[in-house]
């Protein structure tokens, strides 16, 4: 008999809930949520399926295929699903980019990538002298120094920030508006140092804008390793010329979709808990961390609660948002349609910070509810979560913001995230199955607790 019970528990840990009439503590329930996630490994299996489909650049065939594929999965799990049409931009990278320059020791060939939304160079490429910019304060002081030159933004992510997202935010301006601002000073092109926290050979892409520009100039990123070498050589020879060639182009907008998967609440179906991530990715890797991890975190969290008969009293929606990377089109459509349909969101959760080990949660809510969320901290400390901050929630769910909405963002360990972010390194091999599953279990546990103790604005 003992062997039978051990076998049943190992096969399906949540069966113990159905076999006992005594109250089950929150500590015991959380333990079984994490155990089930780590034993079943379902989220990682889904992430493998997703990344095997290839990159999911907004507007691409792969991005739409991924939506259809996971709609079938959600249907099979008992969700009611529907697709929300979203008009999205379509930018195509084209043939591989080129970049090089000559030194006294010969030609140095770099490994560049176009920034998302950039125009192409002339067909034969662009050659011009470089001017190095190490801060935006320096840019403001320039008069004619950039005329006819390629602006080389060499602004490092500040290593003094413990949270690398703060370091990223402080240096991202060079990528997003670097071409816009340099064009005002007469530059003919832009090269930026990749937004990466370490010295590596991966160029990192990301979106940029021409909004407000009288003249559009091409913009590319080079790896931090190449940027270090280029800076050294430029200091030795300030007259060196840089060659860049890109074939990217923007095409007409196309229709894509948000995926919405819903399970009605048993007691309060009119109150909705929404959680999700973005299904689109950049095209250099396969978006395993950004944001395949967030999508499977969200789907698996509800799968775990359903498996354990712990579904919330409230209706729960999983949303795979389309086009977070190029303008939040999917999130804006979801918010607009929700308002039109009078959807009463009471809790919104986003995972868009990678699939590394969860370290905490960030909360945007009225002060009393922030305090209520922090009361759960002792339950999560055994699982390595201790950071309960008020540093935002997520870009997609931010479109739903109201003063009465409890908004949470999953905060995984961030030290390695920007080694991978927006680069060819963002592949399934960079994701640890255990770390990914810990994230899914964390979301499931939070939903269970928030719903059980009615941590919502009254």
């Amino acid at each position: 008999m003992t062997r039978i019970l051990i076998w049943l528990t190992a096969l399906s840990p949540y069966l113990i809930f159905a076999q006992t009439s005594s109250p089950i503590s929150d500590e015991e329930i959380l333990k079984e949520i994490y155990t089930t996630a780590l034993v079943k490994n379902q989220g990682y299996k889904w992430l493998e399926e997703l990344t095997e489909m290839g990159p999911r650049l907004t507007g691409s065939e792969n991005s739409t295929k991924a939506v259809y594929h996971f709609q079938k999965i959600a249907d099979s799990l008992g969700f009611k699903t529907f697709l929300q049409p979203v008009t999205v931009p379509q930018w195509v990278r084209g043939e591989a980019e080129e970049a090089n320059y000559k030194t006294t020791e010969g030609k140095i060939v770099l490994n560049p990538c176009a920034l998302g939304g950039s125009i192409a160079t002339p067909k034969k490429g662009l050659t011009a002298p470089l001017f190095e910019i190490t801060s935006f304060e320096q840019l403001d002081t320039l008069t004619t120094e950039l005329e006819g030159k390629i602006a080389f933004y060499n602004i490092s992510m500040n290593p003094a920030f413990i949270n690398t997202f703060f370091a990223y935010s402080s240096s991202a301006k060079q990528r997003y508006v670097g071409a816009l601002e340099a064009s005002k000073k007469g530059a003919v092109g832009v090269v930026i140092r990749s937004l990466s926290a370490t010295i590596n050979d991966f160029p990192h892409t990301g979106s940029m804008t021409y909004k407000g520009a009288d003249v559009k100039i091409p913009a590319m990123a080079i790896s931090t390793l190449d940027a270090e070498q280029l800076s050294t050589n430029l200091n030795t020879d300030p007259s060196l010329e840089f060659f860049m060639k890109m074939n990217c182009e923007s095409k007409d907008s196309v229709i894509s979709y948000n995926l919405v998967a819903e399970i009605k609440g048993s007691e309060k179906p009119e109150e909705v808990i929404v959680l999700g991530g973005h299904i689109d990715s950049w095209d250099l890797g396969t978006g395993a961390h950004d944001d395949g991890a967030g999508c499977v975190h969200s789907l698996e969290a509800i799968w775990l609660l359903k498996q354990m008969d712990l579904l919330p009293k409230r209706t729960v929606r999983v949303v795979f948002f389309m086009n977070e990377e190029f303008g939040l089109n999917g999130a804006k459509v979801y918010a607009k349609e929700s308002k039109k349909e009078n959807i009463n969101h009471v809790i919104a959760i986003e995972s868009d910070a990678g699939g590394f080990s969860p370290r905490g949660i960030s909360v945007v809510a009225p002060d009393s509810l922030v305090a209520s969320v922090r009361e759960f901290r002792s339950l999560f400390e055994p699982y390595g979560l201790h950071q309960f901050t008020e540093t935002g929630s997520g870009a997609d769910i931010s479109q739903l913001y109201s003063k009465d909405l409890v908004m949470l963002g999953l905060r995984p360990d961030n030290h390695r995230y920007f080694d991978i972010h927006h680069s060819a390194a963002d592949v399934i091999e960079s994701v640890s199955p255990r770390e990914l599953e810990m994230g899914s279990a964390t979301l499931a546990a939070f939903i269970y607790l928030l719903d059980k103790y009615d941590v919502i604005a009254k």
Side-chain angles (χ1 to χ4, degrees):
M1 184 64 176
T2 301
R3 289 183 178 179
I4 294 174
L5 288 175
I6 291 173
W7 177 81
L8 285 171
T9 301
L11 178 64
S12 188
Y14 46 83
L15 286 179
I16 64 172
F17 298 140
Q19 295 176 6
T20 179
S21 58
S22 59
I24 305 297
S25 69
D26 291 334
E27 288 84 356
E28 290 173 301
I29 288 177
L30 262 63
K31 181 178 180 181
E32 295 307 329
I33 289 174
Y34 280 94
T35 298
T36 304
L38 292 168
V39 170
K40 296 293 185 180
N41 216 25
Q42 182 59 63
Y44 191 79
K45 295 171 185 174
W46 283 332
L47 187 59
E48 286 180 314
E49 291 182 36
L50 179 61
T51 55
E52 284 171 1
M53 301 177 77
R56 303 175 301 283
L57 191 63
T58 293
S60 68
E61 184 178 345
N62 277 357
S63 66
T64 302
K65 280 183 178 180
V67 169
Y68 290 148
H69 181 77
F70 275 85
Q71 183 180 28
K72 290 180 180 178
I73 290 174
D75 285 337
S76 72
L77 298 176
F79 286 87
K80 175 185 176 183
T81 67
F82 60 94
L83 302 181
Q84 287 181 328
V86 180
T87 302
V88 299
Q90 188 179 25
W91 176 82
V92 179
R93 184 173 299 280
E95 296 176 6
E97 302 89 338
E98 298 177 39
N100 63 68
Y101 59 92
K102 294 179 181 178
T103 70
T104 55
E105 297 180 1
K107 181 191 289 187
I108 306 295
V109 178
L110 293 79
N111 177 26
C113 68
L115 296 183
S118 177
I119 63 169
T121 60
K123 287 186 178 180
K124 293 184 178 181
L126 168 66
T127 302
L130 282 176
F131 187 89
E132 185 174 15
I133 300 166
T134 56
S135 73
F136 262 84
E137 290 74 21
Q138 176 193 0
L139 180 66
D140 291 338
T141 67
L142 301 181
T143 54
T144 61
E145 292 90 340
L146 279 178
E147 289 183 1
K149 295 181 180 178
I150 295 171
F152 169 36
Y153 287 98
N154 190 24
I155 305 173
S156 303
M157 285 177 59
N158 188 343
F161 284 107
I162 301 304
N163 187 327
T164 58
F165 278 85
F166 295 157
Y168 173 76
S169 297
S170 69
S171 59
K173 187 177 179 181
Q174 64 184 310
R175 189 195 73 205
Y176 193 65
V177 298
L180 168 65
E181 297 301 327
S183 69
K184 297 176 183 178
K185 303 282 187 177
V188 295
V190 160
V191 177
I192 75 159
R193 178 192 184 100
S194 284
L195 300 178
S196 181
T198 59
I199 303 301
N200 59 67
D201 200 26
F202 289 104
H204 296 239
T205 190
S207 62
M208 48 91 65
T209 184
Y210 291 117
K211 188 176 182 180
D214 293 328
V215 178
K216 296 180 179 181
I217 59 176
M220 66 165 46
I222 59 175
S223 71
T224 52
L225 184 64
D226 281 341
E228 291 282 298
Q229 184 181 30
L230 178 57
S231 180
T232 298
N233 288 326
L234 188 59
N235 285 329
T236 301
D237 179 10
S239 65
L240 72 77
E241 293 192 329
F242 190 89
F243 172 80
M244 59 189 294
K245 183 179 180 183
M246 305 189 302
N247 301 281
C248 43
E249 63 175 316
S250 293
K251 297 186 175 183
D252 292 338
S253 296
V254 296
I255 299 298
S256 191
Y257 303 94
N258 290 331
L259 169 61
V260 183
E262 178 179 281
I263 295 179
K264 286 291 184 184
S266 56
E267 297 178 26
K268 300 180 178 182
E270 73 285 356
E271 296 181 356
V272 177
I273 300 170
V274 62
L275 70 158
H278 65 88
I279 189 68
D280 59 301
S281 78
W282 285 104
D283 57 326
L284 300 180
T286 55
H289 279 286
D290 185 23
D291 185 28
C295 288
V296 300
H297 277 158
S298 303
L299 185 62
E300 186 181 19
I302 305 308
W303 177 82
L304 287 166
L305 296 178
K306 192 171 186 291
Q307 290 286 299
M308 299 170 65
D309 198 24
L310 293 173
L311 281 173
K313 298 172 289 187
R314 296 167 172 85
T315 294
V316 63
R317 278 186 166 187
V318 173
V319 182
F320 287 9
F321 296 98
M322 181 57 70
N323 193 40
E324 186 270 348
E325 298 290 6
F326 259 123
L328 298 172
N329 299 53
K332 292 173 182 176
V333 166
Y334 180 80
K336 181 180 178 180
E337 292 301 312
S338 295
K339 185 175 181 180
K340 186 186 300 184
E341 297 170 17
N342 293 315
I343 302 298
N344 180 24
H345 293 103
V346 294
I347 298 169
I349 306 175
E350 184 167 340
S351 173
D352 185 16
F356 296 105
S357 294
R359 290 290 176 255
I361 206 87
S362 58
V363 189
V364 176
D367 290 345
S368 61
L369 296 179
V370 172
S372 296
V373 173
R374 283 178 168 158
E375 289 178 4
F376 299 138
R377 176 172 170 167
S378 62
L379 291 169
F380 287 95
E381 286 180 341
Y383 305 100
L385 282 85
H386 59 278
Q387 300 169 353
F388 282 61
T389 65
E390 297 178 66
T391 54
S393 53
D396 283 313
I397 64 172
S398 70
Q399 303 303 305
L400 296 171
Y401 174 77
S402 78
K403 61 182 179 62
D404 296 325
L405 183 61
V406 177
M407 303 172 69
L408 305 179
L410 182 66
R411 296 292 168 239
D413 185 287
N414 59 72
H415 292 294
R416 292 170 289 158
Y417 183 63
F418 290 102
D419 298 354
I420 292 166
H421 180 255
H422 292 185
S423 80
D426 191 4
V427 292
I428 188 68
E429 290 79 9
S430 67
V431 180
S432 159
R434 285 188 62 84
E435 293 185 49
L436 181 76
E437 295 299 337
M438 291 291 287
S440 298
T442 296
L443 290 190
F446 266 105
I447 292 168
Y448 165 75
L449 292 168
L450 294 170
D451 181 69
K452 176 180 177 181
Y453 291 105
D454 299 315
V455 183
I456 64 169
K458 303 297 190 291

